């Protein structure tokens, strides 16, 4: 009887080891699609570059990170701006400039927002590196980032 119990335990252990090895091999075979990020892990610089590049549009919009217009000049012209603390999109209209949207960078938060419409608008992002303020005015019907007064 003792020999029979020993064989049963040995058989159970062999089955458990075999099942574990088969499971690990299956996970390795499937790879990133289960356990990883499709396309690999990106560095912070790659993410910032990807976020600064606009989605392709028929109007031929340019990069928001550079402050170039993302729409034609004139009323309703929009521009995206980027700081180390986050990004914002501003638009000029009949009532002045207004913030259309804003988003803090990773590890940052929005401390204050003056969305307008007004002569100037601003958003302040706060993070580990300090405070980053973005102030925008309309110049010639287009949003332009300006230094804080």
């Amino acid at each position: 009887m003792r020999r029979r119990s020993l064989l049963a335990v040995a058989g159970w252990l062999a089955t458990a080891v075999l099942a574990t090895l088969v499971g690990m091999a299956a996970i390795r075979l499937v790879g990133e699609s289960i356990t990883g990020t499709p396309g690999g892990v990106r560095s912070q610089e790659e993410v910032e570059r990807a976020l600064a590049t606009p989605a392709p549009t028929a109007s031929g919009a340019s990069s928001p990170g550079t402050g170039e217009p993302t729409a034609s000049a004139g009323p309703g012209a929009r521009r995206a701006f980027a700081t180390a603390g986050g990004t914002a999109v501003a638009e000029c209209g009949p009532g002045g400039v207004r913030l259309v949207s804003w988003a803090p960078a990773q590890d940052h938060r929005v401390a204050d927002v003056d969305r307008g419409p007004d002569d100037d608008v601003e958003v302040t992002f706060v993070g580990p590196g300090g405070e980053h303020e973005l102030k925008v005015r309309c110049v010639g019907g287009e949003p332009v980032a300006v230094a804080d007064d």
Side-chain angles (χ1 to χ4, degrees), residues 32-119:
E32 277 189 2
S33 65
I34 286 179
T35 61
T37 304
V41 176
R42 293 186 175 200
S43 69
Q44 184 172 352
E45 290 80 20
E46 290 173 320
V47 170
E48 288 172 356
R49 236 187 342 262
L51 290 174
T53 305
T57 62
S59 66
S62 60
S63 174
T66 62
E68 295 292 322
T70 58
S72 60
R78 284 188 180 188
R79 228 180 233 189
F81 302 91
T83 70
T87 59
V89 176
E91 173 181 74
C92 288
V97 66
R98 76 176 184 95
L99 286 176
V100 176
S101 64
W102 55 91
Q106 186 172 356
D107 295 332
H108 287 74
R109 64 179 174 81
V110 176
D112 189 32
V113 177
D114 174 12
R115 71 180 300 161
D118 203 346
D119 291 338

Side-chain angles (χ1 to χ4, degrees), residues 3-32:
R3 183 179 169 123
R4 198 175 206 180
S5 297
L6 188 61
L7 284 175
V9 168
W12 183 87
L13 283 174
T15 303
V17 168
L18 182 63
T20 302
L21 291 175
V22 168
M24 289 174 62
I27 289 173
R28 182 168 289 177
L29 180 66
V30 175
E32 277 189 2

